């Protein structure tokens, strides 16, 4: 009985060893953004990273451009950055790019809306008033729509969203630097 278990374990070990050897020549999909950020966090050029990792400059350029690297390259980069090879791999989760785009540029949309409301106020209320029309009558003509209220609100929302966007980017950079310094 113990001979069969030994034989099974031996076969399984050889199978997984062979399977692992086959994967060594395959490319690993790395996060090119993460590699670039880690390199920038150390203030290294691509030449300096190549020298530190004993890789060619062309390999570093290819990894940062395509995100594709061999297992050996992945191990060398992970060793230089002081992280695990899996930490360099691109995440497998699916992200909704439209939602990310809206979150990243919502401040710009809010500023555009503020500009639109301020422009409409100038055209519909201010210019006719300067030409002699009654100010209150102009508001009544447009259904008492408060362009300045909406424009001001959009402007404040735009600043808040811009501040949150800057804060998020700052915290992401800080976390990345802390992760590289702790490893």
């Amino acid at each position: 009985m113990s001979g069969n278990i030994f034989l099974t374990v031996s076969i399984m070990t050889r199978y997984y060893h062979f399977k692992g050897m086959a994967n060594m020549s395959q490319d690993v999909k790395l996060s090119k953004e993460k590699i670039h950020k880690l390199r920038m966090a150390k203030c290294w050029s691509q030449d300096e990273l190549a020298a530190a990792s004993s890789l060619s400059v062309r390999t570093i350029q290819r990894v940062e451009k395509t995100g594709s690297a061999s297992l050996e390259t992945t191990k060398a980069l992970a060793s230089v950055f002081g992280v695990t090879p899996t930490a360099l791999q691109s995440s497998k989760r699916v992200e909704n790019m439209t939602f990310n785009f809206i979150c990243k540029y919502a401040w710009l949309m809010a500023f555009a809306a503020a500009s639109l409301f301020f422009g409409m106020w100038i055209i519909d209320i201010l210019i006719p008033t300067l030409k002699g029309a009654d100010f209150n009558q102009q508001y009544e003509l447009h259904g008492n729509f408060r362009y300045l209220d909406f424009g001001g609100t959009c402007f404040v929302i735009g600043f808040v969203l811009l501040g949150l966007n800057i804060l998020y980017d700052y915290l992401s950079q800080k976390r990345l630097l802390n992760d590289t310094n702790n490893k």
Side-chain angles (χ1 to χ4, degrees):
M1 181 73 173
S2 66
N4 289 340
I5 292 174
F6 176 74
L7 180 62
T8 304
V9 170
S10 176
I11 290 172
M12 287 177 68
T13 304
R14 287 184 184 160
Y15 170 75
Y16 286 114
H17 180 70
F18 175 77
K19 189 175 177 184
M21 292 297 285
N23 285 338
M24 285 183 85
S25 64
Q26 294 178 350
D27 282 349
V28 177
K29 190 66 178 164
L30 301 179
S31 171
K32 53 188 175 183
E33 294 83 13
K34 191 178 287 185
I35 303 262
H36 181 74
K37 284 182 181 179
L38 287 168
R39 179 172 65 81
M40 297 319 277
K42 291 195 177 262
C43 298
W44 283 347
S45 66
Q46 289 180 334
D47 292 336
E48 291 170 322
L49 176 57
S53 61
S54 300
L55 297 170
S56 70
V57 176
R58 180 67 191 114
T59 299
I60 301 299
Q61 291 170 344
R62 181 177 42 81
V63 168
E64 285 190 359
K65 183 177 180 183
T66 66
S68 182
S70 68
L71 186 58
E72 291 81 15
T73 300
T74 304
K75 288 178 184 178
L77 290 172
S79 175
V80 166
F81 291 130
V83 296
T84 62
T86 55
L88 296 178
Q89 292 181 350
S90 62
S91 61
K92 301 292 181 189
R93 62 191 164 125
V94 176
E95 294 179 351
N96 186 345
M97 293 306 290
T98 305
F99 180 73
N100 288 343
F101 180 82
I102 289 172
C103 289
K104 183 100 177 137
Y105 297 105
W107 63 271
L108 189 59
M109 290 183 271
F111 282 142
S115 300
L116 183 68
F117 284 124
F118 289 143
M120 289 171 41
W121 179 80
I122 291 170
I123 292 170
D124 289 345
I125 307 296
L126 186 62
I127 292 175
T129 303
L130 292 175
K131 290 184 175 182
D134 182 36
F135 186 77
N136 290 328
Q137 187 180 20
Q138 285 302 115
Y139 267 110
E140 288 174 13
L141 182 66
H142 296 285
N144 288 325
F145 188 77
R146 298 293 184 190
Y147 296 108
L148 291 180
D149 294 344
F150 286 107
T153 302
C154 288
F155 196 70
V156 168
I157 289 171
F159 267 113
V160 168
L161 291 172
L162 179 60
L164 289 174
N165 194 8
I166 291 170
L167 178 67
Y168 176 75
D169 286 344
Y170 170 75
L171 292 176
S172 295
Q173 289 283 347
K174 189 175 179 180
R175 183 178 46 114
L176 184 62
L177 285 173
N178 285 340
D179 287 349
T180 56
N181 289 338
N182 290 338
K183 298 206 180 208

